[in-house]
Amino acid sequence: MVNNNLDTLRDQVDQLNLELLSVINKRANLVQEIGKLKGVQGSLRFDPVREREMLNQIVEANNGPFEDSTIEHLFKEIFKAGLELQEDDHSKALLVSRKNKQEDTVVSVNGLEIGKGEPAFVFGPCSVESYEQVAAVANSIRAKGLKLIRGGAFKPRTSPYDFQGLGLEGLKILKQISDEYGLGVISEIVTPKDIETALDYVDVIQIGARNMQNFELLKEAGRVNKPILLKRGLSATIEEFIGAAEYIMSQGNGEIILCERGIRTYEKATRNTLDISAVPILKKETHLPVMVDVTHSTGRKDLLLPCAKAALAIGADGVMAEVHPDPAVALSDAAQQMNLPEFDLFWEEILASNLLPVKTK
Ligand code: PEP
Ligand code: MN
């Protein structure tokens, strides 16, 4: 008897579930219609005043046994689902996301195709200090058959009293080196007004960690026809990092290289904590090439090689590291830059590591 009753009640619940399903979908159809009309009118899809009115009406009619707050919560979920339905798929999938574009984005710089399978290497001093200083590093880079050089002309420093970079003079030195040594140049720009200027001097504009959420700078970088190397912010989540890249791409420039450069954690053994798993996550979530800066992430010369190997092994599209002909007298990041013999050794170890693809003839 009890079992019979239970079965009957369950049958009724099953029936009501189906009725709810039908009513909920009927409502969804209407909401979609409304969404189309709003789209035509160009009005905002979320209307808090209208939602409040609907909730008031529902709560007023509520005779229990559910509490008003429970009813509000349930209906709020239904409203939310309806709103998501109104937003077409394209507006939900970010431009930088894999959902939006399946194929890998390949960024071409000075004959290299970054993101195509063969890792790219970027070496160079933290700051451009003089022509001779950059030339010494360029010489060593060229001797290794490498194609890219980095160097900061505008330096965002923690203290305003520290060396701020040579500015335009630094960009001019880099351009001269680029021409003389056949190297592609990567250099950081810190203000929107300098983006235009940089076009004549660099091959890749770097947006540094401290500026990852400088939205005006990101938008300006998105308006030019030049590859952008975007570094992860000091404490940025992967979602925020991807959001920053989206700012650039939303303005039209899709030539973006992401760069994991360590994040701030409680760990003090390294300057930052290299978030190595960010590499495959970013590769999965976005179609953009991902590099790893082993210098700023570790701040330790003894960790450059193992971290570079880890980056290559985990699928990074490139590695960045700082090299200075005389790090002891460097005007920035003196402790963490490799000198030239250390650079030679580093490179030999990379070549010997079997982590580079075998070149097919
Ligand atoms: C740099 O690459 O010179 C630099 C300052 O790095 P980050 O923005 O990652 O600190
Ligand atoms: Mn540096």
Side-chain angles (χ1 to χ4, degrees):
M1 186 61 189
V2 171
N3 267 350
N4 262 353
N5 259 348
L6 191 60
D7 284 346
T8 319
L9 291 172
R10 280 185 169 159
D11 281 348
Q12 287 178 32
V13 167
D14 287 347
Q15 194 50 43
L16 281 174
N17 280 345
L18 295 178
E19 279 175 38
L20 272 175
L21 175 70
S22 156
V23 173
I24 253 177
N25 275 327
K26 218 188 259 177
R27 185 186 190 281
N29 280 330
L30 289 174
V31 165
Q32 268 180 322
E33 288 298 312
I34 293 172
K36 277 186 206 139
L37 288 178
K38 280 189 175 175
V40 173
Q41 290 171 0
S43 50
L44 282 180
R45 299 216 151 93
F46 177 60
D47 181 349
V49 177
R50 165 85 182 131
E51 273 210 0
R52 189 69 259 161
E53 282 169 3
M54 287 194 291
L55 285 176
N56 286 349
Q57 197 186 36
I58 293 162
V59 165
E60 197 132 318
N62 180 32
N63 293 319
F66 279 133
E67 298 265 357
D68 286 353
S69 59
T70 309
I71 289 293
E72 276 213 20
H73 177 73
L74 288 172
F75 273 87
K76 187 73 198 150
E77 284 303 311
I78 293 173
F79 295 171
K80 211 165 84 192
L83 204 62
E84 278 168 17
L85 209 59
Q86 286 185 344
E87 286 162 2
D88 55 275
D89 280 349
H90 181 74
S91 64
K92 262 192 283 172
L94 296 180
L95 296 170
V96 297
S97 72
R98 277 271 176 220
K99 262 191 234 146
N100 189 60
K101 179 174 168 250
Q102 283 287 312
E103 323 84 68
D104 289 331
T105 287
V106 174
V107 179
S108 300
V109 188
N110 195 29
L112 297 182
E113 295 188 300
I114 304 173
K116 208 174 175 185
E118 195 168 332
F121 291 87
V122 185
F123 297 106
C126 182
S127 303
V128 174
E129 295 164 12
S130 69
Y131 171 83
E132 292 72 22
Q133 170 235 14
V134 184
V137 182
N139 202 34
S140 181
I141 291 172
R142 189 173 62 178
K144 294 173 178 61
L146 296 168
K147 292 262 176 256
L148 303 171
I149 188 165
R150 58 148 287 143
F154 298 93
K155 297 301 299 178
R157 304 302 300 282
T158 303
S159 165
Y161 308 114
D162 286 340
F163 177 59
Q164 301 287 305
L166 295 181
L168 183 59
E169 192 51 38
L171 292 184
K172 287 182 177 163
I173 291 173
L174 288 168
K175 175 70 183 153
Q176 191 181 344
I177 295 285
S178 163
D179 293 341
E180 291 173 6
Y181 290 83
L183 300 175
V185 162
I186 299 176
S187 196
E188 178 166 356
I189 293 299
V190 295
T191 53
K193 71 172 171 46
D194 288 332
I195 293 270
E196 196 75 25
T197 315
L199 299 179
D200 296 334
Y201 299 95
V202 308
D203 300 285
V204 177
I205 293 172
Q206 176 171 315
I207 293 184
R210 287 153 197 82
N211 272 318
M212 191 207 79
Q213 283 191 320
N214 180 338
F215 298 114
E216 292 310 312
L217 183 63
L218 295 172
K219 283 192 262 182
E220 197 57 36
R223 292 186 194 114
V224 294
N225 189 11
K226 184 74 84 177
I228 308 294
L229 184 127
L230 177 66
K231 292 189 132 193
R232 182 174 180 180
L234 304 177
S235 310
T237 63
I238 289 175
E239 192 184 356
E240 288 163 342
F241 192 15
I242 291 174
E246 183 73 6
Y247 260 89
I248 300 173
M249 194 155 178
S250 71
Q251 301 301 307
N253 187 358
E255 291 200 288
I256 305 163
I257 303 163
L258 300 174
C259 183
E260 161 62 35
R261 46 79 72 206
I263 46 174
R264 185 163 288 180
T265 69
Y266 52 78
E267 184 50 66
K268 289 195 287 210
T270 46
R271 178 172 170 179
N272 289 291
T273 299
L274 174 56
D275 181 9
I276 199 74
S277 61
V279 176
I281 295 173
L282 291 166
K283 300 266 326 156
K284 194 170 151 198
E285 297 289 326
T286 80
H287 48 78
L288 302 173
V290 181
M291 295 188 89
V292 172
D293 173 344
V294 291
T295 300
H296 294 93
S297 52
T298 65
R300 283 175 52 162
K301 284 203 266 190
D302 58 331
L303 299 181
L304 300 180
L305 184 62
C307 289
K309 286 183 181 175
L312 296 173
I314 211 165
D317 297 292
V319 169
M320 176 186 276
E322 287 183 347
V323 178
H324 190 289
D326 190 358
V329 297
L331 296 176
S332 57
D333 285 350
Q336 67 187 26
Q337 306 194 58
M338 289 183 270
N339 63 28
L340 297 175
E342 285 164 342
F343 177 31
D344 290 345
L345 211 59
F346 175 92
W347 187 242
E348 274 172 34
E349 296 279 353
I350 290 286
L351 289 179
S353 70
N354 288 333
L355 286 163
L356 302 182
V358 184
K359 277 208 180 120
T360 44
K361 284 189 186 152

